[in-house]
């Protein structure tokens, strides 16, 4: 599966990028997603302050997805705030809950919630 995150710059709030992730995140594709996410972050013009990883279209995610989110968080620490969107009751939401990653990364049920306090982000 080929996946290249494409930030939707015209519709994302200034300083924010929303990256929809693929339907499945597992051993087969997780390692390839990290450089694509970091490239998308690097190409964002105007100073990125918030990255939202959108898992609403993801129906399967295993521990490799947790590793991916944790590695993105680690790489962006201090530069860009990370938030995740995962539909309640889905596999990604359950995996995020069971892993304890929700303690370290804000996980929202809907994209609107993740973007709600964008204006309150510090530059």
């Amino acid at each position: 599966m080929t996946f290249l995150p494409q930030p939707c710059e015209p519709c994302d709030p200034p300083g924010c990028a929303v990256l929809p992730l693929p339907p499945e995140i597992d051993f087969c594709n997780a390692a390839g997603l990290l450089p694509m996410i970091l490239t998308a972050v690097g190409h964002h013009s105007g100073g990125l302050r918030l990255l939202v990883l959108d898992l609403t279209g993801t129906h399967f995610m295993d521990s490799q997805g947790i590793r991916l989110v944790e590695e993105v968080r680690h790489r962006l620490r201090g530069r860009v705030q990370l938030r995740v969107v995962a539909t309640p009751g889905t596999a990604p939401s359950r995996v995020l809950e069971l892993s304890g990653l929700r303690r370290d990364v804000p996980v929202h049920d809907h994209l609107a919630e993740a973007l709600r306090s964008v204006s309150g982000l510090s530059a």
Side-chain angles (χ1 to χ4, degrees):
M1 168 193 256
T2 301
F3 167 71
L4 180 60
Q6 296 292 323
C8 183
E9 291 188 72
C11 60
D12 291 343
C16 303
V18 177
L19 299 179
L21 295 182
E24 296 183 4
I25 302 173
D26 57 20
F27 181 77
C28 294
N29 68 350
L33 292 173
L34 179 63
M36 291 180 206
I37 291 169
L38 296 176
T39 297
V41 167
H43 285 132
H44 196 280
S45 60
L48 187 65
R49 295 180 299 148
L50 173 67
L51 174 64
V52 178
L53 298 179
D54 185 353
L55 295 170
T56 57
T58 303
H59 57 83
F60 178 81
M61 183 172 93
D62 63 12
S63 62
Q64 294 302 311
I66 295 301
R67 261 185 198 196
L68 173 67
V69 174
E70 182 60 37
E71 186 63 24
V72 170
R73 182 178 79 91
H74 175 73
R75 300 265 183 119
L76 299 180
R77 189 177 317 221
R79 297 184 304 135
V80 178
Q81 184 178 0
L82 176 64
R83 296 179 187 169
V84 174
V85 179
T87 306
T90 61
S93 180
R94 289 189 300 268
V95 169
L96 289 165
E97 184 69 37
L98 291 171
S99 71
L101 190 61
R102 285 180 176 260
R103 290 185 304 258
D104 300 323
V105 177
V107 178
H108 300 272
D109 295 343
H110 305 282
L111 182 58
E113 291 174 8
L115 297 175
R116 186 167 292 139
S117 62
V118 168
S119 61
L121 288 176
S122 59

